[in-house]
Amino acid sequence: MGYNSLAECVKDLEQHGHLIRIKEEVDPYLEMAAIHLRVYEHGGPALLFERVKGSKFPAVSNLFGTLARSRFMFRDTLPNMKLMVDLKMDPMRALKNPLKYAGISLNALAALPMKVGKQSPINYGKTSISALPQIVNWPMDGGPFITMPQVYTEDVTKPGIMQANLGMYRIQLGGNDYLKDKEVGLHYQLHRGIGIHQTKANELGKPLKVSIFVGGPPAHPLAAVMPLPEGLSEMTFAGALGNRRFRYFYDDEGFCISADADFVITGTVYPNENKPEGPFGDHIGYYSLTHPFPLMHVHNVYHRKDAIWSFTVVGRPPQEDTSFGELIHEISGPAIPKEINGLHAVHAVDAAGVHPLLFAVGSERYTPYLEIDRPQEILTIANQILGKNQLSLAKYLFITAKEDNPSLDIHDIPAFFIHVFERIDFTRDLHFHTQTTIDTLDYSGDGLNSGSKVVFAAAGTVKRALWTEIAADLDLPRPFNHKKMVIPGILAVQAPPFSSYPQVAEELEFLTKELVAKDLQGIALIVLCDNLTFTAEHINNFVWVAFTRSNPSHDIYGVDSFVEHKHWGCRGPLIIDARSKPHHAPTLEKVPEIEKRVDRLGSRGGSLFGII
């Protein structure tokens, strides 16, 4: 089967108990997002908001809120999609096992985009930007945003759908300096396909045509976020996964229109024309701030008769995009390591905001004829990872050798840390990349897109026995005397508020001098934090604090540290200063008054009774 529309998907989910209707009128300013967040936290169903204040269009969210629901929506095509990605990476498999891959031919036709006539459902009518649901997720957001868009662009030098890019880049619908109904903000980060298209258009002095699709069959938004192998089009993937060819046409102005979408906004982006975009409460758990981003001049806003506005809410993980990630990993995860020789597994840690922390397992095969107890091949693999598509956004990369523990679970955060810290040699196994690009959404660096990276490489035999509890005689000097063990070998320490880097240099010089004489063999990492109880309470809290609030080049210190031939290392434990700094973005906070409104929906007679 395959859904012809979002409405058909909603109907199917409702019939099978995966969706409920919110019948009360809800405010798109903060309330809809708060409802979504609460339902997601409880593992609840997809939500159809029937009455959105200020708009005639209903809205749906949390479609992908659980992996089970995502599997349900693609229950007839998911197995074949896994095989298709597998076959893309190694075509010879089809010759070796033709029966296993025979079913893929049935998906081949669905993968081909289909050009259709203009008498399509999306051409039912036109509306304006301000008539759309003006959903604001967080109180400091600069305005309403589209949070589940599919942004379509073509290469101006090679036009056509097979060379097009479909990506999910947030769209600011209003606020700031945008002219109402005439302008919207187009935000995209580093290493995105749309950037290549805009660069080419700019070089030729041409405007870039942009089509923003909202809604449509659920395969379409999923295709927009898939890290597909080179040469595999998002539109072909959408067709194959949805078992329905991606239908499209070009309107009278030459814009590509998704015939099955619920809404399509068309517009042009002119060279070097930007406006301030943001702030926006983002998926790392902080606001991304106001910065200049491309300005899109709106041409038309198309919609179908039964149009449903699709949205999501992002914030500190886990959120709906976490479930997105789980489904993506299920489909394409096994294929990613095959793109880098020697790489066996890679895991972007969602609890740490995805890009700030990456785990990897590679092979050590360089000198099998020698007993070598140090990283070699995995350093080469680490360099390839940091140069590979969105993997290159990793800020902290922990990589270890498969041969040291073939059964190590890369998704078990405590076990992975313990394995690395038992084996790492801090005098040689830290490798910094300074003055480089980092994730656009990460404000721990020294400017937008600017910061540092570090590779922790561990291979060989166990070098230290990690403490499972703090030694009774371990006293730390004031004001660093409050401490808790997070997991074996990792100590969280309450520190005074961050003031300035010169002041920190004095604090850390004092602290490390006190520690150098102590027996700390069982401690590998000390993390300075603002809230000890919160940081040490759960491993997810720890990784969020430690890796979203630190810039490796500025915030890593060590006991008995040294620089030798431009290499930095330390002979004692490593120290990460994970306190909030003045240049960091604000954290996302819920609004108590809005939460009370959500509580009422959960009372007897409310649409969420029995769910929240």
Side-chain angles (χ1 to χ4, degrees), residues 364 372-379 428-429 431 457-459:
E364 274 295 349
I372 299 295
D373 195 32
R374 64 181 298 161
Q376 294 186 119
E377 185 178 2
I378 60 173
L379 292 177
R428 68 165 192 236
D429 294 340
H431 303 274

Side-chain angles (χ1 to χ4, degrees), residues 149-305:
Q150 308 144 46
V151 182
Y152 176 97
T153 56
E154 294 185 4
D155 185 333
V156 294
T157 65
K158 299 176 182 177
I161 196 165
M162 295 307 289
Q163 286 79 39
N165 178 74
L166 190 70
M168 190 170 287
Y169 320 117
R170 74 178 189 239
I171 306 296
Q172 186 168 347
L173 294 176
N176 296 359
D177 299 327
Y178 299 118
L179 298 179
K180 184 179 179 181
D181 292 326
K182 295 181 179 180
E183 297 174 347
V184 299
L186 173 59
H187 179 286
Y188 65 86
Q189 297 142 246
L190 301 178
H191 304 284
R192 300 303 196 267
I194 188 175
I196 297 172
H197 288 174
Q198 188 179 5
T199 298
K200 289 186 176 182
N202 288 354
E203 288 173 349
L204 297 173
K206 294 183 177 181
L208 180 69
K209 290 182 180 291
V210 179
S211 301
I212 301 167
F213 313 145
V214 179
H220 293 191
L222 183 60
V225 295
M226 278 293 296
L228 298 177
E230 191 71 28
L232 189 58
S233 160
E234 288 90 0
M235 275 58 68
T236 61
F237 182 87
L241 181 61
N243 199 25
R244 175 177 171 82
R245 296 174 69 180
F246 186 94
R247 288 155 166 77
Y248 72 100
F249 62 89
Y250 289 90
D251 70 4
D252 295 337
E253 296 180 331
F255 289 90
C256 183
I257 308 297
S258 170
D260 286 340
D262 286 66
F263 300 87
V264 175
I265 304 170
T266 62
T268 45
V269 175
Y270 289 86
N272 306 312
E273 191 173 8
N274 300 327
K275 275 195 174 182
E277 186 266 0
F280 178 76
D282 233 313
H283 72 260
I284 295 182
Y286 307 87
Y287 287 93
S288 55
L289 304 180
T290 303
H291 299 285
F293 276 96
L295 173 68
M296 177 173 147
H297 296 270
V298 176
H299 287 225
N300 288 293
V301 183
Y302 300 95
H303 71 89
R304 62 189 299 148
K305 183 178 181 180

Side-chain angles (χ1 to χ4, degrees), residues 480 493 495 508 511 526-530 545 575-579:
F480 302 100
V493 173
L508 269 295
L511 178 61
I526 297 171
V527 173
L528 307 183
C529 60
D530 296 306
V545 169
I575 300 173
I576 296 178
D577 183 357
R579 292 174 287 183

Side-chain angles (χ1 to χ4, degrees), residues 457-476:
T461 57
V462 172
K463 296 172 178 61
R464 65 176 62 83
L466 301 176
W467 291 350
T468 57
E469 58 184 29
I470 302 173
D473 60 348
L474 177 61
D475 293 320
L476 300 187

Side-chain angles (χ1 to χ4, degrees), residues 43-55:
L47 302 169
L48 181 65
F49 297 87
E50 293 186 331
R51 299 167 57 200
V52 178
K53 185 177 180 180
S55 178

